[in-house]
Amino acid sequence: MNRFSAQLIKECVLLFLVGACLSVAQFIMIRDFVAILYGEEVVIVLVTAAFFTGLSIGYLLSRKLSKSLFKYLFLASIFIHLTFPFSYRYLASYISDNGDSGVMYMTLMFAYALLFSSMFACFLPQLVHGEDDGASSRQRLKIFYSVELAGFVMGFAIIGWSWNQVLSPLLMVYWTLLTAVLYLAVKDKVFTGIFAILAIWASLGLNARDMKSTELLYQYKHGKENIELLYSINSPYQKVEVLQRPDGGKYLYLDGLQNLNSSDLEVLNHYIAKIPAKLTRPERALIIGNGTLSSVSKVYPYTKKLTSVELDPGVLKAGQKYFTPPETLEGLDRWNLTIDDGKHFLKTSKEKFDLVIMDIPSPLTVQEAILHTAEFYSLVRSRMDEDGVIAVQLSGPLQQNNRTPARVTAALSMAFKQVMVLDSEEGDRSFAYASDNLPFTKADVRRVSSDFEDEDSLTIITPEEIPYYLTKAEALQIDTLDLVLRRGWERFMGRYFDDD
Amino acid sequence: MTKIKLSLTAFFTGWFFAVLQFSFLMLLQINISSAYLTYMVITLSWMIGTVAGLWIPRLSMPLGVGLGTVSYYIVYTLVSYNPFSPITLPVASAGVAIAGLWAGHFFVTMLDKSMTTDSIFFHENNGFIVGLVTFFAGFTQIGRPFLLYVPLILAVGLFLSSRAEKPS
């Protein structure tokens, strides 16, 4: 093997590792910043665009920087990587404590996007147009880009291994890869040694610091004083976190957005699960979502067969650990759990259901919004007989406007002939029951809910009254998901750029 | 002038790649499943196609863009009318890989036109960012018509720009 081919192999190994680092860096940055800025679709797109902007800057500078300047910038950047994810969480907490400036958050995000991705983007152009080793730029591009993409796939595999775990094992692997990249790129044993020692030192107590810095974010950015972080993992879909108040109450957060508060759980489960189950006594019932499994015990006594379908195993893990211990579900032999996407389950299942409970988050991302569309409700309708009932929480009180509760109700009205809405002051939101032939009346609902919430605070809107509320509402459909953009944008701007 | 033209071609190609990739993903997520497997299938197939595209000896822009666009509409038809056939996911995966061929060969072609790697990746990546934002904004505003028309519009735009380049 001649000197040139040995050099080529070294460069290939370097690019392979750079590809893997890029993949892991993309995952860590997007997950963490989406959770810091709260995971609406607008934020997901913004953070992803920031990461790719970092790449663009890397490409732009890759061949403009002198070798020595690149070396020092690279060294500075790679050593700062040892402060991830604590440094940006501390900085976000600091920004929050000093007025929650949107400009400062954006600056923070773009600065870290530069650190996360720019330096990795420099290698490929530099090596393709590197020293002449006999291979043409064309040949080097083919080899190097192929190798970098292969590394990216390996990064994917590493991320897959880290799912449903805390962040620290992934960070340790990332720092190990960075150590190898540092050695191959700079060929300096002293710097590599110092980096390796610091990485080992930083790995000690990593999990505790990960939890503490996340806890700090919740204390400052979410304004939850004296909160304790019990659980924080990255599922294949989102960051799943459980927090506990001093009084023992718990919160479940998904990508930085509050999914549920244990003190609200009773009300939510009462209206979305217990009431419709008690009134319909379904032969077969289906719960879509409800990763905490907290509504299972509410429906189970009233049905002959109960199926739960949840997409995210990470939420199920958090649910079983902190909200519904597995022993409470022991002996429920008429209940089964399937890990699947709700619409895939319905499209592939041949079963019919008498009651379908939609216990899913508000439509703040496209994927969540699809499960609130008229098309999805029509799919549910196709798996029901005429008097089958679907129960949906409307993410707010139903009013005569074009906001989420009215648009979801309008979508239900497109798929079902009758919709009844319960507006609960206790629950601070409305709940809808829809069917082609509702097997219960307003009086029935009032009767079974009277011991839970009195008549003054629970308003029941009958199917006949529903059209009045929908005069300004456009039904949520796959072709009209503008709500995701509009609501996400309003929330984002209100949170970070509204002076009031 | 040629430099600007090449930069614009790289930019619009990145835009096209982003819209095509996200359209494939959304098609499968709407019609089949939003499970992580769908995302993995799209991403890995695209990468396999890209690597294959880097190594195939010849592929012109009209053919590369045309193959990607035709594959997209075959997958569109298949997942819209027969989403749960056992061949749907393998065919979709093959379609994405075929669309990825140009994503690989494009870089080689642009290098042959005397563009440097940093410049190609810079402009292509900027186009990709615009494509990401366009896709999200466009899909949430108009939904399925976006999936039906926009990849075709971008492909036709690229095709016409490649024809306009030829005389020089």
Side-chain angles (χ1 to χ4, degrees), chain A residues 272-282 298-299 302 355 357:
Chain A
I272 204 169
K274 191 174 178 181
I275 294 274
K278 203 171 176 180
L279 289 171
T280 58
R281 308 253 165 191
K298 310 285 177 193
V299 181
Y302 305 105
L355 174 64
I357 293 162

Side-chain angles (χ1 to χ4, degrees), chain A residues 134-153:
Chain A
S136 68
S137 295
R138 192 178 206 266
Q139 197 64 10
R140 291 168 73 91
L141 172 68
K142 287 175 166 183
I143 296 169
F144 289 153
Y145 193 29
S146 301
V147 166
E148 195 181 56
L149 287 173
F152 199 88
V153 173

Side-chain angles (χ1 to χ4, degrees), chain A residues 52 56 129 343 367 479 482, chain B residues 29 34 117 125-126 140 144:
Chain A
F52 279 90
S56 274
H129 299 285
K343 60 182 176 302
Q367 292 312 321
D479 297 343
D482 55 296
Chain B
Q29 288 192 333
S34 300
T117 312
N125 195 60
N126 290 342
T140 52
R144 283 165 298 194

Side-chain angles (χ1 to χ4, degrees), chain A residues 48 103 110-111 236 263 270 278 290 322 451 479:
Chain A
T48 309
V103 175
F110 279 101
S263 37
H270 182 78
K278 203 171 176 180
N290 187 237
Y322 295 102
D451 56 346
D479 297 343

Side-chain angles (χ1 to χ4, degrees), chain B residues 66-148:
Chain B
L67 273 176
T69 311
V70 169
S71 303
Y72 173 75
Y73 286 101
I74 290 173
V75 173
Y76 187 103
T77 310
L78 189 64
V79 298
S80 301
Y81 296 103
N82 200 4
F84 299 107
S85 151
I87 63 157
T88 301
L89 210 53
V91 169
S93 169
V96 175
I98 290 168
L101 286 176
W102 181 240
H105 204 77
F106 157 76
F107 291 100
V108 181
T109 306
M110 296 306 272
L111 199 68
D112 288 344
K113 291 184 179 177
S114 307
M115 245 186 132
T116 54
T117 312
D118 50 329
S119 182
I120 310 168
F121 276 90
F122 173 70
H123 293 296
E124 189 269 348
N125 195 60
N126 290 342
F128 195 90
I129 296 167
V130 173
L132 165 75
V133 176
T134 310
F135 178 83
F136 169 63
F139 180 75
T140 52
Q141 292 303 306
I142 62 170
R144 283 165 298 194
F146 185 93
L147 301 181
L148 185 58

Side-chain angles (χ1 to χ4, degrees), chain A residues 26 41-42 45 48-49 52-53 55-57 59-60 62-64 124-125 128-129 137-139 141-143 145-146 149-150 152-153 156 159 163 236-237 311 340-341 343-344 347-348 366-367 370 375 478-485, chain B residues 22 26 28-37 39-40 43-44 47 50-51 54-57 83-84 103-105 107-109 111-112 115-122 125-126 128-129 132-133 136-137 139-145:
Chain A
Q26 183 177 347
E41 194 82 40
V42 170
V45 172
T48 309
F52 279 90
T53 304
L55 287 178
S56 274
I57 292 169
Y59 292 133
L60 183 71
S62 60
R63 294 180 61 236
K64 292 187 173 61
L124 183 67
V128 168
H129 299 285
S137 295
R138 192 178 206 266
Q139 197 64 10
L141 172 68
K142 287 175 166 183
I143 296 169
Y145 193 29
S146 301
L149 287 173
F152 199 88
V153 173
F156 252 37
I159 293 163
W163 283 338
Y237 305 95
L311 179 62
D340 196 358
D341 173 27
K343 60 182 176 302
H344 180 260
K347 283 180 177 177
T348 50
V366 170
Q367 292 312 321
I370 286 172
E375 289 87 347
I478 288 177
D479 297 343
T480 53
L481 293 178
D482 55 296
L483 177 82
V484 176
L485 180 65
Chain B
F22 286 112
M26 194 52 70
L28 265 65
Q29 288 192 333
I30 290 173
N31 293 294
I32 301 178
S33 169
S34 300
Y36 202 80
L37 177 69
Y39 175 74
M40 290 297 270
T43 310
L44 291 178
M47 283 187 182
T50 305
V51 173
L54 283 166
W55 291 94
I56 49 173
F84 299 107
H105 204 77
F107 291 100
V108 181
T109 306
L111 199 68
D112 288 344
M115 245 186 132
T116 54
T117 312
D118 50 329
S119 182
I120 310 168
F121 276 90
F122 173 70
N125 195 60
N126 290 342
F128 195 90
I129 296 167
L132 165 75
V133 176
F136 169 63
F139 180 75
T140 52
Q141 292 303 306
I142 62 170
R144 283 165 298 194

